[in-house]
Amino acid sequence: MPAILETRALSAFYGDFQALFGIDMAVNSGEVIALIGSNGAGKSTFLKTLAGLLRTRPEQVLYKGEAIGGMPAASIVGKGIALVPEGRRLFASLSVEENLLLGGYCERPGHWNLQTVYELFPVLKERRRHQATALSGGQQQMVALGRALMSNPDLIMCDELSLGLAPVIVREIYAALPSIVADGMSAIVVEQDVQLARKVSSRFYCFQEGRVSLSGASADVSDEAITQAYFGVTS
């Protein structure tokens, strides 16, 4: 099966500072990939680059065979890639429903609309008129995830869904993931909890200092190998 997304020797910079060094990755249709690694390893930078928020050369990112590296973020959303950013980044002056509707501005056809998002997260329908940032952290994360789904992406990228949330809320949010990808959507999930990341994904990539230090099938690689790759230690 051809990959829906490929990166080839992907590099990224913040000014003169190089944050990513030659990242090679592939995501297949309907596949959930986990990105793990310590803070500052480059995971969020990688997602931002794919989303068009950081510049890179066109041929370093291929989406459905098309070189899209460095395209404007709005164009990338229109092609079917959506980002759920770290920290949620909701519009504080808008209601829950207004935040969700903004996600559908590109008018891509598909399964996701207000009704299906409310079916996935019923609490959002109850609070649709509330100011989005007045909700609990877990409910705000649901809004951020729903907003991304409203663009009807073929690839959704989730940056630290569990950050700062109670374990029971984390389980509720991740319980929705199988329904989200059931129709063949692909997902890249950045997650600090290594065991949770392995549980929800088929494959993983471990980042260390802007490079891939280890990759493999989530169920097959040993905890020891992941620990060594995660912290950059050798046996």
Side-chain angles (χ1 to χ4, degrees):
M1 180 183 299
I4 188 173
L5 177 90
E6 276 187 273
T7 64
R8 297 179 177 176
L10 176 64
S11 300
F13 295 80
Y14 293 100
D16 293 331
F17 173 75
Q18 187 168 359
L20 297 178
F21 300 83
I23 304 295
D24 293 323
M25 180 181 294
V27 182
N28 296 318
S29 180
E31 186 175 35
V32 179
I33 297 293
L35 303 187
I36 61 175
S38 59
N39 287 331
K43 307 181 302 297
S44 293
T45 296
F46 181 73
L47 295 192
K48 289 176 182 177
T49 305
L50 297 183
L53 300 175
L54 291 175
R55 302 288 292 180
T56 192
R57 293 199 302 274
E59 69 276 8
Q60 291 186 336
V61 183
L62 297 179
Y63 179 67
K64 299 181 179 179
E66 178 185 0
I68 65 165
M71 274 189 179
S75 298
I76 288 177
V77 173
K79 288 185 176 296
I81 300 176
L83 173 65
V84 183
E86 181 180 358
R88 301 179 281 271
R89 307 298 291 268
L90 302 179
F91 293 92
S93 62
L94 302 181
S95 69
V96 167
E97 190 158 295
E98 288 168 336
N99 269 274
L100 293 174
L101 288 170
L102 281 176
Y105 77 93
C106 61
E107 298 184 338
R108 279 176 55 85
H111 169 74
W112 294 101
N113 52 44
L114 280 177
Q115 179 180 341
T116 50
V117 169
Y118 288 152
E119 288 171 357
L120 184 68
F121 298 124
V123 67
L124 298 187
K125 184 174 183 179
E126 298 171 14
R127 306 196 175 185
R128 63 188 182 276
R129 306 301 181 199
H130 291 223
Q131 186 179 5
T133 52
L135 273 58
S136 69
Q139 291 165 358
Q140 289 185 45
Q141 192 63 276
M142 293 173 189
V143 176
L145 184 52
R147 181 180 60 187
L149 290 173
M150 287 284 290
S151 70
N152 277 296
D154 295 320
L155 171 64
I156 190 167
M157 306 186 298
C158 303
D159 196 356
E160 300 282 12
L161 288 180
S162 65
L163 189 65
L165 302 182
V168 64
I169 302 301
V170 173
R171 288 194 295 272
E172 182 178 355
I173 289 174
Y174 271 107
L177 189 58
S179 298
I180 291 170
V181 300
D183 292 331
M185 189 187 300
S186 304
I188 302 175
V189 177
V190 169
E191 179 53 60
Q192 288 281 355
D193 185 331
V194 174
Q195 296 307 318
L196 177 58
R198 296 175 72 183
K199 181 178 179 181
V200 302
S201 63
S202 57
R203 292 189 298 118
F204 76 92
Y205 291 82
C206 183
F207 279 34
Q208 213 267 331
E209 295 184 348
R211 296 175 171 85
V212 174
S213 56
L214 182 68
S215 64
S218 298
D220 295 344
V221 181
S222 70
D223 291 341
E224 180 183 6
I226 290 177
T227 298
Q228 291 175 357
Y230 194 103
F231 294 107
V233 298
T234 57
S235 55

